[in-house]
Amino acid sequence: MKKFNIRKVLDGLTAASSSSSSATAQPGTPRENEVVQETLQSEHFQLCKTVRHGFPYQPCSMAFDPVQKILAVGTQTGALRLFGGAGVECYCQHESGSAVIQLQFLINEGALVSALADDSIHLWNLRQKIPAILHSLKFNRERITYCHLPFQSKWLYIGSERGNIHIVNVESFTLSGYVIMWNKAIELSSKTHPGPVVHISDNPMDEGKLLIGFECGVVVLWDLKSKKADFRYSYDEAIHSVAWHHEGKQFVCSHSDGTLTTWNIRAPAKPAQIITPHGKQPKDGKKPEPCKPILKVEYKTTRAGDPFMVLSGGLSYDTVGRRACLTVMHGKSTAVLEMDYPIVDFLTLCETPYPSDFQEPYAVVVLLEKDLVVIDLGQIGYPIFESPYPLAIHESPVTCCEYFADCPSELIPALYSVGSRQKRQGYSKKEWPISGGNWGQGSQTYPEIIITGHADGSIKFWDASGLMLQVLYKLKTAKVFERARGKEEKPNTDIVDEDPFAIQTLFWCPESRMLCVAGVSAHVIIYRFSKQEVTTEVVQLLEVRMQCEFSEVDSPDLGGEQTPTQPASAAPSSPQETEPPNQLSAGTNSSEGPRDNIPCLQVRSSPLKQSPGYQVELVVQLVWVSGEPPQQITSLAVNSPSGLVVFGNSNGLAVVDYEQKTLLLNMAISELYSPSDPYQKQPCSPRKPRQPSGGLCDSNDGSNNSEDRCKSPTSGSTSPCNSDDERKQNFIEKAKMSRKISSSGEQKPELEERSQRWSPRSCKKHFCSVTNGKMAARITQKLHIHRTKSDPNRYGKDNAFTRSRSSSVTSIDRESREVISSFYFCESFPRKSDSLISPCLLVGTTQGSVMTAALSLPPGADHKPQQPVSFASCGTLVRLKGGILTMALLDAAGTLLPPSYEPWYDPNASDEEKEKVRRRRPASPPSSQEGQDTQFAVLCSEKQAKVVAMPSQTSIYKHNITESSFVLRADVVQMAGSYCLACFCANGHIMTLSLPSLRPLLDVNYLPLTDMRIARTFCFSNLGQALYMTSPTEIQRITYSQETCDNLQEMLSELFTPVETPEAPNRGFFKGLFGGGAQSLDREDLFGETASGKASRSLAQHIPGPGSMEGMKGAASGVVGDLARARVALDERGQKLGELDERTAAMMASADSFSKHAHNMMVKYKDKKWYQL
């Protein structure tokens, strides 16, 4: 996992950059170092990937180490996913991004060979926690089609498209001079090329015999020593795979016509047996009808029974529409196992790694296009094993995602207890067979929860603690609605063409356990958590009518006289008094007139059995208004102490009391502005009704996968780009264009024209009486706020990735309308003149306005039904560039003030238990001292961030985040005991800003290009954690914490563990006496440089990998790291000892030579006198 170089920003220099960050210049405002003492520095931040969860996207190859019990999966994008026991997962990526066509383990060696579609092979070192490439070999003149690495061999056979076989030494990754040429392998009389090599394997009993399968149907048994073909086997149909019997006397071939041929190695004339497993056998003895190709066959023997023959494909052509099947033939029985998705590959797991012994198969791993299934061969009926991996993230396409780190510790056990009852039955009773590796022992102990919303209306809660991912609980929101039984009974889903229950956005309060979800069919469902099972006789329903104002030009004819437009201030105080005189009755759908008061979905009328977990409290639906469909909901929030939920769209906002099942407020966006607001926009001219074309998950042509349906509105229909840079640049330019349109449309309307059309008040109040007594099962609240006629398919801004991607509205239409983008309940100062805090609501819009609204709530919950709840709009707090993304509140010390919440209590518990919990309700924050700013409002938009002092409403800090791009996601998060603002931009940058001074602390260009799925699902969480959907099936978790990056090695799991290789099968006395049993081969003598010479340099290029042994020493840790380092040290010591031996031998030779020379000199001058010298 690669760590990114970070452009760290020096602290204290932000004031010098007036264009990007500026403190207030107003008199009396405290300076930066006087407001809050900030502790966060740039040294606290570092960005790196941590772990990837989910099913490998677009898998294409698979391998298994039977000793280490590790499974490897390769994908079409060059990714490698390795799986072991529960929690043992690893992700690596080939830089080229080419498809992984084949994988081969060096069994029990901690290494893996990968062959790619770009004709390169790579050796991966798995002895370190983050695998790395040790060597690479790139073929220049041949295309790789098949690879084979015999058990306990260092010589890798590589078959090519030309029909040749090359041999590579996996230790040095050099080519041998030994080459098997295709023209020598086939018959000399053959006039045609045999085609690519589709199979290579050595005889289980004789390593010197190599079986080579060519695509045309020719199989050759090659003698490696004599360098010639012993036998050739020919069949009319193309070969897809070959499998040996363990005794080495027979092999089986699968063919393209659905047949299996069994050959005796010494009888090449004709097959010993020909069978068509799924073919209809004619009575007159003719050949059976051809079937689909058998793509793969495996032949495994057992010591005590019949052999197993496992194959994929081969079904009859008349089985049109039948799902993919895996066939298991055992003795006289044949089992056909249907799969949910097409089969990519399968492997039979056996007890022994030795091919010459009885295999004793016990399981079959089946890799499907979108799933991984392991079948138990040892039990009747072949049940599947229960998978410990989170491979079901994509069971339905993910439409939204939220991440909660450091949440209450009792949440995970509570969710697990209710979710454990949802587990399927019928799994195998045996343990999961892929059990290798060791789970990482990290210091991270805080609980983490991930929530995913899906296109089928389901919501999944995941335990993400400790770099693991495990499903806790699944909620199906579609249960509260009636389902269509046929095409003629299709529900009234006019907003979306497909997936009417898809989750659009959700709000979850971990402390109160309140859950509120908004769907694409303009519905909101409020859930409470309960540990008791209940049966709801009638689902509580509240229908909300958010009407829009019609102009004289485009007003539809309702069959009567035109009703004059009334100002919003004339709205009655009670929702029961708002029935218009010429409105159609609820539930009508007359073919003569426009639809009116019709919800998009029908709530079920039969009793609903609700299991322990999240149970429906209230369903809120927006209804059609005079032929216009309801606008989809763009934002929502819940305030559990007051029992309120607020949601908004392009028409306005609505406040619902979910305890009393009552609509309290229905207000237009324009009514939130005060008359003196300079930012108030003139209402747009109305347009004719337009039929929408899709929602969050609409259907396109058949070429698109279901996972790609859920895209952002900015995706639209873009033209293909030639490179990633072009795609990125086009995306940003498109965003800039739409922003220019937005700014050009933000002209201040004339006050006179605005007052003629609207009659706003500086502080509007709407009172809604709440009556006592038994609530009706179906309550229809109709509160009319006359406003501009709405476009039926518009949400808001171009970059609202959590919303519909409908492209039926132009960018000008999108940008000209103001849409509510965010809410924030808080205890603050709604007005400048306030000296005491009070409950209020902050409302953010897509035009950059942040408005405040004061809530007047009853003092106690017991008196709530008798007292009205008032809502006062207090005008604009501040204006920012771009749509508002997030809002938060800090106290005077810079600590986050979270929204108030009610402690969780079981709604089905006794009244005494409920009262006990309610008494523990958190106390309200202390009141403010007059004349001082005691709070800071943190506001972030698509372009900039501001910090506003409260209650003076003075902007004290401002930071322009980006000019050329825009922010997609922003969150105020806790980090190292303090708080900061984390942002993710459309250009791929991830930034953090200190609070409240907005000093840049981190700025990393993380993503190579902007992907819509990433943009829609990216979310930050506390303690430096973040995640996004990197593919339709995978979640990528990252960290921006320096501490987590430093401890990542300890937190990651270990793939390789020291395991002894099983003993080789005993040859027996008679086999040893008379010869027999497996015959070994000294491949070094055949393939070494001395025997075969050097290979051509132009054939392949050797590329040293970054994962050298020195890098491994620094990267590995723990016991495995110590063993690896000890092995390296031993190798180095052995090398040094070898060098020392050579030096010693050289010194001895030198000494011997010197002795001889001295002796010769002594003999020469022995008898001479000194004067004769």
Side-chain angles (χ1 to χ4, degrees):
M1 289 178 196
K2 159 177 164 188
K3 289 189 179 180
F4 298 87
N5 294 325
I6 297 180
R7 182 176 60 84
K8 296 186 176 180
V9 185
L10 295 177
D11 301 326
L13 299 180
T14 55
S17 177
S18 59
S19 62
S20 63
S21 180
S22 61
T24 179
Q26 298 182 11
T29 305
R31 298 296 298 173
E32 176 178 338
N33 56 1
E34 297 175 358
V35 177
V36 173
Q37 186 67 34
E38 297 178 359
T39 58
L40 282 180
Q41 306 294 330
S42 58
E43 288 75 18
H44 290 103
F45 297 89
Q46 174 76 34
L47 190 71
C48 69
K49 294 180 180 180
T50 54
V51 69
R52 181 173 293 199
H53 302 295
F55 181 77
Y57 184 56
Q58 295 179 337
C60 55
S61 58
M62 178 172 59
F64 181 72
D65 188 327
V67 180
Q68 288 289 321
K69 297 190 181 301
I70 293 291
L71 181 74
V73 177
T75 72
Q76 295 181 15
T77 57
L80 277 181
R81 294 287 301 278
L82 297 116
F83 299 94
V88 180
E89 294 184 52
C90 185
Y91 163 77
C92 347
Q93 177 70 44
H94 293 90
E95 289 187 3
S96 65
S98 298
V100 182
I101 60 175
Q102 199 171 353
L103 295 170
Q104 289 278 320
F105 272 103
L106 277 69
I107 295 176
N108 204 26
E109 293 292 334
L112 176 72
V113 174
S114 59
L116 271 59
D118 64 352
D119 309 312
S120 63
I121 57 174
H122 308 271
L123 178 64
W124 290 85
N125 178 19
L126 307 183
R127 291 175 176 261
Q128 54 197 59
K129 290 192 173 183
I130 303 176
I133 294 177
L134 296 176
H135 301 282
S136 297
L137 197 64
K138 180 73 167 63
F139 283 77
N140 299 322
R141 297 183 300 181
E142 302 246 17
R143 308 234 36 201
I144 299 174
T145 57
Y146 196 87
C147 297
H148 171 63
L149 180 66
F151 178 46
Q152 293 182 330
S153 170
K154 67 176 183 179
W155 297 98
L156 174 70
Y157 301 102
I158 297 179
S160 71
E161 193 176 39
R162 293 184 180 181
N164 304 324
I165 295 179
H166 303 276
I167 301 170
V168 175
N169 186 326
V170 294
E171 290 182 352
S172 60
F173 247 54
T174 55
L175 273 173
S176 168
Y178 191 112
V179 181
I180 304 174
M181 305 300 291
W182 67 271
N183 54 353
K184 293 183 180 181
I186 64 171
E187 294 277 0
L188 295 177
S189 60
S190 178
K191 298 180 180 179
T192 59
H193 191 279
V197 175
V198 296
H199 178 82
I200 306 171
S201 62
D202 50 343
N203 190 315
M205 287 297 181
D206 189 354
E207 295 177 352
K209 307 293 185 182
L210 197 67
L211 196 68
I212 306 168
F214 295 95
E215 188 181 56
C216 69
V218 175
V219 179
V220 177
L221 187 64
W222 182 265
D223 190 325
L224 292 170
K225 292 182 179 179
S226 62
K227 299 183 180 179
K228 66 177 183 179
D230 283 350
F231 301 101
R232 297 178 178 91
Y233 316 86
S234 181
Y235 193 70
D236 295 337
E237 298 293 335
I239 291 177
H240 286 277
S241 69
V242 182
W244 276 103
H245 187 279
H246 84 277
E247 293 180 349
K249 297 178 181 179
Q250 284 185 336
F251 61 88
V252 179
C253 300
S254 69
H255 298 276
S256 58
D257 63 345
T259 59
L260 295 174
T261 56
T262 304
W263 300 80
N264 293 325
I265 60 170
R266 297 191 177 275
K270 64 177 182 178
Q273 186 183 28
I274 301 176
I275 60 172
T276 307
H278 296 285
K280 296 178 181 179
Q281 300 293 336
K283 296 180 181 180
D284 53 2
K286 294 182 180 179
K287 288 184 64 176
E289 295 180 0
C291 296
K292 297 177 183 178
I294 297 178
L295 301 178
K296 185 175 183 180
V297 63
E298 290 201 349
Y299 192 16
K300 304 298 179 183
T301 55
T302 58
R303 199 177 301 273
D306 295 319
F308 282 88
M309 194 173 290
V310 186
L311 54 100
S312 64
L315 294 178
S316 175
Y317 278 105
D318 58 6
T319 57
V320 179
R322 188 173 180 180
R323 293 186 292 182
C325 296
L326 185 80
T327 305
V328 180
M329 303 170 65
H330 183 218
K332 295 182 179 180
S333 67
T334 300
V336 180
L337 310 177
E338 285 194 349
M339 301 293 159
D340 292 334
Y341 305 102
I343 297 175
V344 175
D345 196 4
F346 72 89
L347 292 172
T348 307
L349 308 188
C350 302
E351 296 288 353
T352 176
Y354 294 94
S356 60
D357 195 7
F358 285 97
Q359 301 299 290
E360 302 294 343
Y362 60 89
V364 179
V365 180
V366 188
L367 179 64
L368 308 176
E369 281 189 358
K370 298 180 183 178
D371 202 0
L372 181 72
V373 177
V374 182
I375 301 168
D376 187 358
L377 293 179
Q379 292 189 27
I380 299 175
Y382 303 132
I384 65 173
F385 291 88
E386 184 177 6
S387 174
Y389 312 133
L391 301 181
I393 296 174
H394 64 288
E395 187 177 13
S396 177
V398 176
T399 55
C400 66
C401 191
E402 294 295 336
Y403 189 12
F404 300 88
D406 199 18
C407 46
S409 58
E410 67 275 4
L411 268 177
I412 291 179
L415 289 167
Y416 180 80
S417 64
V418 297
S420 59
R421 308 179 188 184
Q422 300 176 334
K423 289 188 176 180
R424 290 174 51 189
Q425 303 298 323
Y427 289 112
S428 172
K429 298 178 181 179
K430 298 179 183 179
E431 293 185 357
W432 181 253
I434 307 168
S435 56
N438 288 324
W439 184 25
Q441 301 296 324
S443 57
Q444 239 176 281
T445 56
Y446 50 85
E448 301 172 77
I449 291 178
I450 296 172
I451 303 179
T452 54
H454 299 265
D456 63 352
S458 62
I459 296 174
K460 292 181 181 179
F461 292 78
W462 305 82
D463 178 9
S465 308
L467 296 187
M468 282 189 66
L469 193 67
Q470 190 174 21
V471 67
L472 292 172
Y473 172 71
K474 181 179 178 180
L475 173 65
K476 297 180 180 179
T477 64
K479 281 186 175 181
V480 303
F481 300 106
E482 298 283 359
R483 286 187 175 270
R485 299 179 182 176
K487 293 183 178 179
E488 67 279 355
E489 298 181 22
K490 186 177 179 180
N492 191 13
T493 55
D494 296 273
I495 293 185
V496 291
D497 300 327
E498 193 175 336
D499 298 324
F501 310 111
I503 305 300
Q504 175 120 337
T505 184
L506 60 87
F507 180 94
W508 186 56
C509 176
E511 288 79 11
S512 66
R513 303 187 189 178
M514 290 296 302
L515 174 66
C516 185
V517 299
V520 296
S521 296
H523 62 273
V524 175
I525 311 176
I526 298 100
Y527 288 93
R528 286 185 186 271
F529 186 84
S530 175
K531 295 182 179 180
Q532 302 178 22
E533 182 177 311
V534 296
T535 299
T536 304
E537 295 297 330
V538 181
V539 177
Q540 298 291 310
L541 171 65
L542 184 67
E543 291 183 354
V544 177
R545 180 181 174 90
M546 301 183 81
Q547 187 178 352
C548 37
E549 178 187 278
F550 299 109
S551 70
E552 296 181 358
V553 178
D554 293 304
S555 297
D557 186 9
L558 296 179
E561 196 171 339
Q562 193 75 28
T563 305
T565 300
Q566 296 181 3
S569 59
S573 61
S574 173
Q576 281 78 13
E577 301 174 7
T578 62
E579 190 74 27
N582 56 355
Q583 178 177 301
L584 300 174
S585 60
T588 59
N589 187 8
S590 173
S591 59
E592 298 178 357
R595 284 180 182 165
D596 203 51
N597 281 3
I598 306 292
C600 296
L601 299 174
Q602 183 179 355
V603 174
R604 64 182 294 164
S605 56
S606 57
L608 176 63
K609 182 181 178 181
Q610 303 198 70
S611 303
Y614 276 100
Q615 299 171 354
V616 179
E617 177 78 7
L618 177 65
V619 178
V620 182
Q621 287 185 287
L622 302 186
V623 297
W624 283 67
V625 178
S626 302
E628 291 259 351
Q631 302 297 291
Q632 292 179 343
I633 293 160
T634 56
S635 182
L636 77 164
V638 175
N639 185 252
S640 57
S642 58
L644 300 181
V645 59
V646 58
F647 56 88
N649 58 14
S650 59
N651 282 344
L653 63 87
V655 180
V656 171
D657 185 335
Y658 58 80
E659 291 183 354
Q660 304 301 319
K661 318 295 189 293
T662 310
L663 176 68
L664 300 180
L665 182 80
N666 190 346
M667 175 180 277
I669 298 176
S670 58
E671 291 184 276
L672 293 169
Y673 290 99
S674 65
S676 58
D677 277 342
Y679 308 117
Q680 182 180 0
K681 289 193 62 178
Q682 178 182 359
C684 312
S685 60
R687 294 177 298 278
K688 294 183 179 181
R690 180 177 300 167
Q691 290 299 324
S693 65
L696 186 65
C697 294
D698 58 347
S699 60
N700 273 335
D701 54 70
S703 62
N704 289 345
N705 296 329
S706 60
E707 299 93 347
D708 297 326
R709 293 194 312 248
C710 312
K711 295 183 180 177
S712 125
T714 54
S715 61
S717 55
T718 58
S719 59
C721 302
N722 297 328
S723 66
D724 292 347
D725 294 336
E726 288 185 31
R727 292 176 58 191
K728 183 174 179 180
Q729 190 62 31
N730 291 346
F731 181 78
I732 295 177
E733 287 179 0
K734 179 181 178 182
K736 292 167 63 177
M737 178 76 67
S738 64
R739 296 302 172 271
K740 290 177 181 178
I741 295 173
S742 173
S743 60
S744 63
E746 293 179 3
Q747 299 175 357
K748 299 178 184 178
E750 295 295 331
L751 185 60
E752 180 180 356
E753 182 181 354
R754 187 178 65 203
S755 62
Q756 290 176 359
R757 199 158 179 187
W758 304 86
S759 55
R761 290 163 291 174
S762 60
C763 201
K764 309 179 188 68
K765 291 188 179 181
H766 295 269
F767 296 93
C768 298
S769 62
V770 182
T771 58
N772 238 333
K774 187 176 181 180
M775 299 301 299
R778 183 179 177 94
I779 308 170
T780 305
Q781 302 284 0
K782 298 154 187 158
L783 181 58
H784 295 271
I785 302 297
H786 296 281
R787 64 202 66 172
T788 306
K789 178 182 175 185
S790 64
D791 176 16
N793 196 39
R794 187 52 230 139
Y795 291 89
K797 297 202 76 66
D798 201 37
N799 62 312
F801 292 95
T802 57
R803 302 169 191 131
S804 167
R805 69 164 186 162
S806 170
S807 58
S808 61
V809 183
T810 64
S811 60
I812 298 179
D813 293 334
R814 283 199 287 263
E815 293 303 323
S816 62
R817 305 210 48 199
E818 189 166 19
V819 182
I820 291 178
S821 58
S822 59
F823 291 112
Y824 188 73
F825 280 106
C826 58
E827 302 274 339
S828 187
F829 307 91
R831 309 167 186 82
K832 285 186 178 182
S833 58
D834 290 343
S835 59
L836 299 176
I837 62 172
S838 61
C840 62
L841 174 68
L842 298 182
V843 182
T845 72
T846 55
Q847 299 297 345
S849 296
V850 177
M851 293 162 285
T852 57
L855 297 176
S856 177
L857 303 176
D862 296 337
H863 306 286
K864 185 175 178 180
Q866 286 77 24
Q867 298 187 15
V869 177
S870 65
F871 182 97
S873 176
C874 303
T876 304
L877 172 66
V878 71
R879 178 86 168 190
L880 283 77
K881 294 180 182 178
I884 303 299
L885 297 178
T886 190
M887 300 177 286
L889 210 60
L890 306 178
D891 63 9
T895 303
L896 182 68
L897 293 173
S900 58
Y901 62 89
E902 184 177 45
W904 174 78
Y905 65 89
D906 197 321
N908 300 319
S910 61
D911 294 337
E912 295 180 1
E913 294 180 3
K914 293 180 182 179
E915 191 61 29
K916 288 180 183 178
V917 176
R918 291 186 175 183
R919 287 172 185 170
R920 300 199 304 266
R921 180 178 296 182
S924 300
S927 59
S928 169
Q929 297 181 8
E930 197 164 350
Q932 292 185 357
D933 289 331
T934 59
Q935 290 182 347
F936 302 103
V938 181
L939 313 167
C940 183
S941 72
E942 298 167 326
K943 291 290 188 179
Q944 60 183 194
K946 283 186 179 181
V947 174
V948 179
M950 304 291 280
S952 65
Q953 299 186 3
T954 304
S955 179
I956 57 174
Y957 298 109
K958 183 181 74 171
H959 179 78
N960 293 329
I961 301 173
T962 177
E963 294 292 341
S964 59
S965 183
F966 54 91
V967 181
L968 296 170
R969 179 71 185 237
D971 291 291
V972 175
V973 294
Q974 184 182 4
M975 180 75 180
S978 187
Y979 294 89
C980 65
L981 178 65
C983 304
F984 172 59
C985 291
N987 58 9
H989 281 253
I990 292 178
M991 314 178 197
T992 58
L993 306 173
S994 68
L995 291 178
S997 66
L998 299 178
R999 287 180 297 111
L1001 299 174
L1002 172 74
D1003 187 354
V1004 181
N1005 188 5
Y1006 171 67
L1007 293 174
L1009 57 89
T1010 302
D1011 185 275
M1012 296 303 156
R1013 185 180 301 101
I1014 296 174
R1016 188 181 66 250
T1017 57
F1018 197 103
C1019 50
F1020 294 98
S1021 190
N1022 292 326
L1023 305 177
Q1025 305 300 321
L1027 63 82
Y1028 58 90
M1029 291 289 295
T1030 185
S1031 74
T1033 62
E1034 295 169 294
I1035 289 178
Q1036 177 67 57
R1037 293 168 67 178
I1038 63 174
T1039 182
Y1040 49 96
S1041 165
Q1042 180 70 56
E1043 181 182 1
T1044 305
C1045 289
D1046 293 340
N1047 299 329
L1048 186 59
Q1049 282 289 332
E1050 298 178 7
M1051 299 163 61
L1052 294 175
S1053 56
E1054 294 175 335
L1055 290 170
F1056 179 80
T1057 54
V1059 179
E1060 289 189 7
T1061 303
E1063 292 185 2
N1066 190 2
R1067 297 176 64 184
F1069 174 75
F1070 290 103
K1071 286 187 177 180
L1073 183 62
F1074 299 106
Q1079 299 181 16
S1080 60
L1081 172 71
D1082 189 354
R1083 295 184 176 90
E1084 185 69 33
D1085 290 342
L1086 285 175
F1087 307 143
E1089 186 175 332
T1090 55
S1092 62
K1094 292 184 179 181
S1096 171
R1097 291 186 178 182
S1098 61
L1099 181 61
Q1101 177 186 2
H1102 176 260
I1103 305 170
S1108 61
M1109 298 300 286
E1110 291 77 7
M1112 185 194 72
K1113 287 192 293 182
S1117 62
V1119 177
V1120 175
D1122 295 338
L1123 289 174
R1125 285 191 290 271
R1127 176 173 291 187
V1128 173
L1130 286 174
D1131 292 341
E1132 292 176 350
R1133 183 181 179 187
Q1135 185 178 356
K1136 291 178 180 178
L1137 287 174
E1139 294 175 356
L1140 183 61
D1141 289 342
E1142 292 176 0
R1143 291 177 183 176
T1144 304
M1147 290 178 66
M1148 290 178 64
S1150 176
D1152 186 51
S1153 175
F1154 179 77
S1155 175
K1156 290 180 180 179
H1157 183 70
H1159 178 73
N1160 293 335
M1161 290 288 292
M1162 185 267 293
V1163 171
K1164 181 178 180 181
Y1165 297 105
K1166 179 179 180 182
D1167 299 330
K1168 292 187 178 182
K1169 302 295 183 181
W1170 62 269
Y1171 54 83
Q1172 294 176 326
L1173 298 177

